[in-house]
Amino acid sequence: MSIYKIRFGTPEEFVPTRFAPKPLCEVIDGLPAGITIDGKMTRRGVCLTMPIDGDAGVYGFGLQLRGFQQRGKKKTIRSNADPLSDSGDSHAPVPFFVTTSGWGLFVDTARYVSFYNGKCKRRDTGAHADAAAERREVALTTEALYAAVSAGADTVMTIEIPFAPGVDVYYFTGKSILDLVSQYNMFSGGGCMPPLWGLGGFYRCCGKFNEEQVLDIARRFREYDIPCDILGLEPGWQTCAYSCSYLWDREGRFPHPEETVSSLVEMGFHVNLWEHAFTNPTAPVYEALKPYAGSYEVFNRGLVPDFTLPEAQEIFAAHQKTLCDMGITGFKLDECDGSDYTGGWTFPDCEEFPSGMDGEQYHNLFGLLYAKTLLGALGERRTWSEVRNMGALAASYPFVLYSDLYAHKDFIRGTVNAGFSGLLWAPEVREGKTAEDLIRRVQTVVFSVQALVNAWYLDRMPWEEFDCIDEIRRLFRVRMQLIPYLYTAFFDYRATGKPPVRALVCDYQDEREAWDCDDAYLFGDAMIVAPMVAGERERRVWLPHGVWYGFFDGKRYDGGWHTVVTDEIPVFVKEGTLLPLAEPVSHVTEDTQFAITLRAYGDCSASVCRLTEDDGVTVGAPMRVLEVCADTETVDSVRYRIAGHEHITG
Ligand code: GAL
């Protein structure tokens, strides 16, 4: 397991490593023996070529909602809010990929890089098929035609980095995809650590609600006894939002913001505020920000701050600091991805920012630099915020991605894919077309990194439309049961880079079935989640070798393919797992002590369950991991107590 660095030409000034935290791992200069990457400076920029095994799987490139296995495809990774096809456009494009051949590659650039993933053949290399292959059968569909004559064993990996006079490339080696991805995350500064409350339920209120309506939603959560930790306010808290004033609408919807926030906090909610960076002339920071902004406006006269500059960060963060001081603990940093397809907003790629960065580079770095600005304002307080654009080396950022798109299957694929590139993604729930649709979506989101319901355009809670409040309550209670388990998965993310949610191929690449599995994922080390979407009465689920148990029904499964028929979300737990299940609480406080039932799956005589304890809210707070066994009766901990034991035998 190692990381190697090689330089071609003279790299550009604005590259992801410049803004990243210090790597938490060694980097060796030069490539390992026997590995070559050809690099050429061309009139189009840098062009890299390298061999790739004939049958290697390729994964990554950031939050790819439309594609999973990238072998044989061209991906141009561009920041874009509404990718229309499997082209590489993404809310969070990342120039990093991993292969099943024990290596991965990070290209340190903020350009719209094109990756030809074993898609093209070089004339003088590779084992070409002999001429007899030309006598192949005549294909009568375009699919069959191109499958027969294109990608194959003699293709290479070709990477084109436009405009750049040079680039640094990091070559990762490792024995599995999990190794490669974990190293990339450690290279990015280690995985982020959420506050404990961040793992609870999260509800975003309708954008036009006034303070009374928001308080009413808060009260209703407690009355319905649906667990919820975070309430988000959408644009209406501000006097104007497209572009943003960052001022409470005191004469309209929010006459008493301080009291409102205090009341919500007293009811046990964390408050999250929506904003974006495009700054309206009425914003108090506008004049000071002008010299540190781009030359184009976005939305209604909105300045685009150049967050590369410390001055812009400082001036802009002033309003966030004020809001944090009144009790706000999270933000939704919207619209920083830009769109080529919806509406006329965003700045062009040819924009010239005061720092010297151009629009193309800023599109790929905007979300990350915006998030960094906010972290400065939050200081020592941990957050679990949202952002709609991220990029390279983002693992240490406690920000979860989301989208305006809404295809449930794409959302599941996003959940599977995000972990390849140090990203977090919430398959957020908005409305349901039917109760079944709503429930299927809630099932997925409670098994993700952020249990988010984004009701930004809904007058009523989406489950009030249907008679399913009991079911929704039950699902959010399941989420609360899993907080201790998930918290330790995040502890590992921070300490080792291992993503808490990841594709099956990360851990099980020796089993070929895992290679194409884009509709099931690991949730922590011990659970496999295989969501279902509305209209599906049953689904096929592949489980890796060994023995697994249904999380909801305790049924025993051997590795292999199964047809599962259930209204429940199919979730499986690995044999030998000692799962810590908490008695659900309505929300997490700093003093919460979880009553844990240790549920043993199969033979757990040698198993250990790890529980992570810290203050749950402070950046860098000391952490302790307690280890308990199947027969442990008591633990010396303020955060946990053992309340019971269960044994699942199938
Ligand atoms: C969108 C965002 C939505 C919602 C909306 C409010 O850009 O993706 O989730 O916040 O803005 O105007």
Side-chain angles (χ1 to χ4, degrees):
M1 267 176 49
S2 297
I3 307 177
Y4 301 84
K5 174 180 172 181
I6 175 165
R7 172 165 291 186
F8 297 94
T10 309
E12 294 185 285
E13 189 183 351
F14 298 105
V15 293
T17 48
R18 169 169 168 178
F19 305 103
K22 224 170 118 2
L24 298 180
C25 51
E26 290 296 311
V27 176
I28 303 164
D29 264 328
L31 287 172
I35 301 298
T36 44
I37 298 177
D38 292 331
K40 244 196 194 168
M41 310 308 137
T42 74
R43 270 178 300 151
R44 295 171 58 85
V46 184
C47 178
L48 307 175
T49 318
M50 68 212 72
I52 183 164
D53 285 351
D55 64 349
V58 178
Y59 305 90
F61 305 111
L63 178 72
Q64 295 298 328
L65 295 176
R66 308 266 163 149
F68 178 65
Q69 162 55 289
Q70 311 292 2
R71 177 70 196 233
K73 295 180 186 167
K74 174 185 174 190
K75 285 276 135 94
T76 300
I77 53 151
R78 292 193 312 162
S79 182
N80 218 318
D82 36 18
L84 296 177
S85 63
D86 186 17
S87 58
D89 282 0
S90 163
H91 289 286
V94 178
F96 174 64
F97 65 88
V98 290
T99 71
T100 51
S101 299
W103 62 278
L105 202 82
F106 169 61
V107 185
D108 189 17
T109 178
R111 295 283 166 205
Y112 298 156
V113 184
S114 291
F115 293 88
Y116 298 77
N117 304 323
K119 187 179 168 63
C120 305
K121 304 173 191 183
R122 296 198 50 187
R123 201 182 71 202
D124 299 326
T125 56
H128 290 284
D130 62 32
E134 288 307 318
R135 297 173 60 93
R136 66 179 82 237
E137 279 173 29
V138 176
L140 294 179
T141 65
T142 46
E143 290 80 11
L145 170 63
Y146 296 118
V149 297
S150 49
D154 50 354
T155 56
V156 291
M157 185 89 199
T158 302
I159 305 172
E160 195 182 336
I161 303 123
F163 307 112
V167 74
D168 284 333
V169 170
Y170 294 80
Y171 184 89
F172 292 70
T173 62
K175 62 179 188 312
S176 67
I177 290 188
L178 182 57
D179 264 1
L180 297 168
V181 166
S182 302
Q183 282 187 82
Y184 169 79
N185 291 335
M186 294 315 275
F187 177 66
S188 310
C192 60
M193 192 68 206
L196 202 49
W197 53 263
L199 300 180
F202 187 172
Y203 187 88
R204 303 203 67 89
C205 301
C206 181
K208 64 173 193 220
F209 274 5
N210 61 29
E211 58 188 31
E212 257 322 306
Q213 291 169 300
V214 169
L215 288 166
D216 185 50
I217 289 279
R219 283 189 288 265
R220 255 178 308 153
F221 263 104
R222 298 303 183 233
E223 272 160 31
Y224 289 152
D225 195 21
I226 298 178
C228 186
D229 271 277
I230 315 168
L231 272 193
L233 306 190
E234 287 285 312
W237 69 271
Q238 296 181 44
T239 50
C240 69
Y242 281 86
S243 49
C244 287
S245 69
Y246 313 111
L247 293 171
W248 286 99
D249 184 17
R250 288 177 191 268
E251 287 173 19
R253 290 174 291 265
F254 283 83
H256 315 97
E258 289 81 6
E259 291 82 344
T260 305
V261 172
S262 299
S263 305
L264 292 170
V265 170
E266 263 165 44
M267 291 165 76
F269 291 96
H270 283 262
V271 185
N272 174 302
L273 294 184
W274 175 101
E275 63 165 54
H276 57 65
F278 306 119
T279 309
N280 186 266
T282 60
V285 293
Y286 183 86
E287 284 304 324
L289 206 51
K290 256 179 157 171
Y292 307 108
S295 59
Y296 281 81
E297 293 178 347
V298 174
F299 298 129
N300 182 23
R301 301 198 52 208
L303 280 186
V304 186
D306 182 350
F307 289 132
T308 324
L309 302 168
E311 294 88 341
Q313 290 199 7
E314 199 177 314
I315 295 164
F316 186 86
H319 84 268
Q320 294 170 326
K321 274 205 188 86
T322 312
L323 293 164
C324 293
D325 288 346
M326 71 184 277
I328 304 302
T329 47
F331 288 80
K332 170 173 175 177
L333 307 182
D334 205 13
E335 317 288 9
C336 44
D337 36 19
S339 171
D340 287 350
Y341 306 116
T342 350
W345 58 282
T346 206
F347 47 87
D349 294 344
C350 60
E351 167 69 299
E352 292 170 301
F353 283 93
S355 60
M357 173 152 29
D358 66 37
E360 173 181 346
Q361 294 170 309
Y362 201 43
H363 274 305
N364 277 342
L365 290 166
F366 191 0
L368 192 126
L369 293 172
Y370 189 6
K372 194 173 182 160
T373 304
L374 170 59
L375 288 183
L378 279 156
E380 291 309 299
R381 281 165 288 210
R382 263 189 238 167
T383 188
W384 203 231
S385 284
E386 292 177 79
V387 71
R388 223 177 61 186
N389 167 244
M390 264 289 164
L393 310 180
S396 71
Y397 285 81
F399 288 79
V400 181
L401 290 151
Y402 62 96
S403 177
D404 279 343
L405 304 170
Y406 205 44
H408 192 177
K409 290 215 169 183
D410 288 357
F411 273 27
I412 296 166
R413 190 177 301 110
T415 311
V416 182
N417 265 335
F420 288 126
S421 310
L423 301 173
L424 302 169
W425 156 255
E428 70 171 35
V429 178
R430 299 196 287 269
E431 89 281 9
K433 281 201 197 75
T434 57
E436 184 201 5
D437 181 33
L438 181 69
I439 289 168
R440 286 299 192 196
R441 288 174 181 277
V442 172
Q443 289 175 343
T444 307
V445 91
V446 298
F447 285 95
S448 80
V449 294
Q450 191 180 57
L452 171 65
V453 176
N454 178 17
W456 71 274
Y457 54 87
L458 300 175
D459 282 337
R460 304 172 66 198
M461 291 172 160
W463 38 87
E464 289 174 334
E465 296 293 324
F466 310 105
D467 187 17
C468 62
I469 289 179
D470 291 346
E471 182 57 13
I472 298 296
R473 176 189 309 114
R474 191 185 67 82
L475 286 169
F476 278 98
R477 284 170 65 84
V478 169
R479 170 67 178 203
M480 301 311 278
Q481 287 187 290
L482 292 168
I483 287 185
Y485 169 72
L486 207 44
Y487 202 56
T488 297
F490 272 103
F491 172 84
D492 290 342
Y493 188 35
R494 178 173 164 274
T496 69
K498 181 165 58 174
V501 176
R502 55 189 187 267
L504 297 181
V505 71
C506 290
D507 294 44
Y508 298 103
Q509 79 176 58
D510 291 346
E511 296 176 75
R512 221 27 210 252
E513 289 86 345
W515 287 33
D516 294 315
C517 185
D518 67 347
D519 61 359
Y521 52 88
L522 280 152
F523 190 66
D525 289 345
M527 294 174 115
I528 288 180
V529 180
M532 282 161 78
V533 306
E536 282 181 346
R537 306 218 49 87
E538 58 179 53
R539 68 161 283 175
R540 299 275 289 155
V541 176
W542 174 79
L543 296 172
H545 69 277
V547 174
W548 297 81
Y549 296 89
F551 174 70
F552 292 101
D553 61 7
K555 206 174 141 191
R556 185 183 189 280
Y557 295 83
D558 288 321
W561 284 102
H562 300 274
T563 299
V564 182
V565 186
T566 175
D567 291 335
E568 201 57 90
I569 177 170
V571 176
F572 307 88
V573 186
K574 202 181 349 186
E575 180 169 56
T577 302
L578 195 53
L579 193 66
L581 289 175
E583 179 60 33
V585 290
S586 73
H587 61 281
V588 176
T589 69
E590 287 181 37
D591 307 323
T592 296
Q593 188 186 48
F594 293 106
I596 299 290
T597 296
L598 291 170
R599 188 188 281 174
Y601 287 88
D603 178 8
C604 285
S605 48
S607 309
V608 166
C609 163
R610 293 155 64 239
L611 296 166
T612 303
E613 183 183 85
D614 67 346
D615 78 1
V617 292
T618 312
V619 174
M623 296 186 135
R624 174 165 93 105
V625 178
L626 308 157
E627 296 199 342
V628 298
C629 308
D631 56 2
T632 302
E633 298 285 347
T634 53
V635 281
D636 177 20
S637 163
V638 288
R639 185 67 73 210
Y640 305 100
R641 72 185 170 81
I642 307 297
H645 298 79
E646 289 176 3
H647 195 189
I648 306 295
T649 49

